[in-house]
Amino acid sequence: MSATTARPKDPRVSVVIPARNEARNLEIILPKLPPVYEVILVDGNSVDDTIATAQRLMPDVRVVHQTRKGKGNALACGFEAVTGDVVVMFDADCSADPDEIPRFVQALVDGADVAKGTRYSHGGGSDDITLLRNVGNRGLNILCNVILGTRYSDLCYGYNAFWADVLPKVGLLSSTLPRPTDGSMLWGDGFEIETVLTCRWSAAELAITEVGSHEKLRVHGTSNLNAVTDGIRVLKSIMHERRRAAEGRARARVATLSGGAALSGGAALSGGAVLGSVAAVPTSPDVTPVVPATVSALEGDAA
C-alpha cells in the first residue's frame, strides 16, 4: 500500500455477514450491531427465513446470494458487493462481539491495512474453542509462522477488518466461476478462507495489526466446521500459499530485472523503488502490530 494513498479518518464501514440457516441467531445479533454504512448479508441457500428475518430487523440490509458453496465463496461474494471504505468480516452465529467493531476500525484508522482478530492476546479469549481445536490451531499457527516468516498469534480466526482498497492484492476467486459439477469446492471456497486471506495479506506485505477479540459461544444451531478435515484443508492452504508467494516473488524479480535493463544512463526507476520500513502502527494493550520489517515488493517498476 503506497504511503501516499489517502484514506478517510471517518471511514464508511461495510459489515459482511455470511449466513446459512441463521435466522434465530440474526434475531439476536443484528440489533446489536453499531451504526455502520452498510450491512451485507450473504445467504448460502438458506431453507429457513434467514433473509426475511434480516430484512425485517434491518430494512436497509443488502442481501447477496452466494454463487457456489462454502464460507470462502460467501465472503468473496460479499466482498465484491462492498461499496464502503472498510470491510469487517462478521459471523452470523453470535460468536463475534459487535462491540469490538469500533476497535478494529480504529486500528485501521491508526495506520494498519488489516486488523487481524486474535483470541490469544490481551483482550482476547474464547468460550467456544475445544481442546482439540486449540491444540490444532496453535500447531498450525506455529507452522505458518515458521514457513512464511510471519508472527501471527491466531491464524484461523475469522473476525477481521481491512481497507477495501487492499482487495485487489488478495486475488480471491471470482464469484462468477462455475460450481464444480462433482459437488466439491474450489480451493479457497471453504473454511480455509481465513488462512488464505492471512497468508496473502502477509505476502502482499501489508501493515497488519492484531486486535484482541473474545469469541463467544454459538447460540443456536451447530457449526459446519470439522476440526480434522478442515484442519487438513488449512494445512494444505499454508503449503499452497507458500508456493504461491514464492512464485510471486520470482515474477517480481524477473519484472524488476527486465525493467532495470530497459533503463539507460542510470536513470531512476519510475514510480520510486526505495525500500524502507513500514510505518509504525500505534498500539494499545489490545492491539499488536505484526507488520513485515521491510517492503520488498516493487510496484509499477517494470517496463
Side-chain angles (χ1 to χ4, degrees):
M1 177 54 57
S2 170
T4 61
T5 300
R7 286 168 169 169
K9 293 298 183 183
D10 185 20
R12 300 170 300 169
V13 177
S14 301
V15 178
V16 176
I17 308 178
R20 184 173 185 271
N21 300 328
E22 298 284 9
R24 290 195 294 169
N25 285 322
L26 293 177
E27 288 270 10
I28 299 170
I29 204 65
L30 286 184
K32 295 181 180 180
L33 289 176
V36 293
Y37 173 67
E38 64 182 357
V39 175
I40 300 173
L41 180 80
V42 187
D43 181 64
N45 300 309
S46 297
V47 296
D48 67 357
D49 57 347
T50 287
I51 295 177
T53 299
Q55 292 174 329
R56 172 172 53 81
L57 294 169
M58 190 174 287
D60 59 349
V61 68
R62 295 183 58 200
V63 176
V64 173
H65 297 274
Q66 74 173 98
T67 56
R68 295 186 295 275
K69 68 177 183 178
K71 185 178 182 180
N73 171 246
L75 284 172
C77 292
F79 295 162
E80 290 176 5
V82 162
T83 61
D85 305 302
V86 162
V87 182
V88 177
M89 299 163 52
F90 194 86
D91 286 342
D93 60 4
C94 298
S95 63
D97 185 351
D99 291 338
E100 293 177 355
I101 289 178
R103 192 193 308 168
F104 280 85
V105 175
Q106 188 59 52
L108 299 175
V109 171
D110 286 343
D113 295 319
V114 177
K116 177 82 178 75
T118 175
R119 296 161 290 186
Y120 299 106
S121 73
H122 183 80
S126 177
D127 301 326
D128 181 57
I129 196 166
T130 63
L131 177 61
L132 177 61
R133 285 178 55 205
N134 187 44
V135 171
N137 281 348
R138 289 183 179 274
L140 290 169
N141 200 79
I142 292 172
L143 181 64
C144 178
N145 287 337
V146 170
I147 290 177
L148 300 180
T150 53
R151 289 178 289 164
Y152 296 114
S153 65
D154 199 354
L155 174 69
C156 301
Y157 194 40
Y159 198 175
N160 307 297
F162 53 90
W163 290 99
D165 58 25
V166 308
L167 276 170
K169 295 178 177 289
V170 178
L172 294 181
L173 294 178
S174 170
S175 65
T176 61
L177 290 175
R179 179 191 306 233
T181 56
D182 61 0
S184 63
M185 286 188 291
L186 296 178
W187 196 254
D189 276 358
F191 279 111
E192 72 276 6
I193 184 61
E194 284 94 0
T195 304
V196 169
L197 284 170
T198 300
C199 292
R200 292 187 185 181
W201 288 331
S202 177
E205 298 188 314
L206 302 178
I208 304 166
T209 293
E210 288 194 329
V211 177
S213 175
H214 193 99
E215 180 184 36
K216 298 182 179 182
L217 288 170
R218 165 184 278 273
V219 177
H220 295 293
T222 57
S223 173
N224 292 317
L225 180 69
N226 183 291
V228 176
T229 58
D230 288 306
I232 293 173
R233 200 169 175 92
V234 168
L235 177 60
K236 290 181 178 179
S237 297
I238 295 172
M239 304 310 296
H240 175 271
E241 292 303 315
R242 181 192 185 189
R243 291 192 299 271
R244 184 179 187 274
E247 291 168 358
R249 288 192 297 269
R251 287 193 297 269
R253 285 195 296 269
V254 171
T256 301
L257 292 173
S258 299
L263 298 175
S264 61
L269 290 173
S270 62
V274 178
L275 305 186
S277 298
V278 176
V281 179
T283 64
S284 73
D286 298 335
V287 178
T288 307
V290 289
V291 296
T294 59
V295 178
S296 61
L298 302 179
E299 297 177 2
D301 298 328

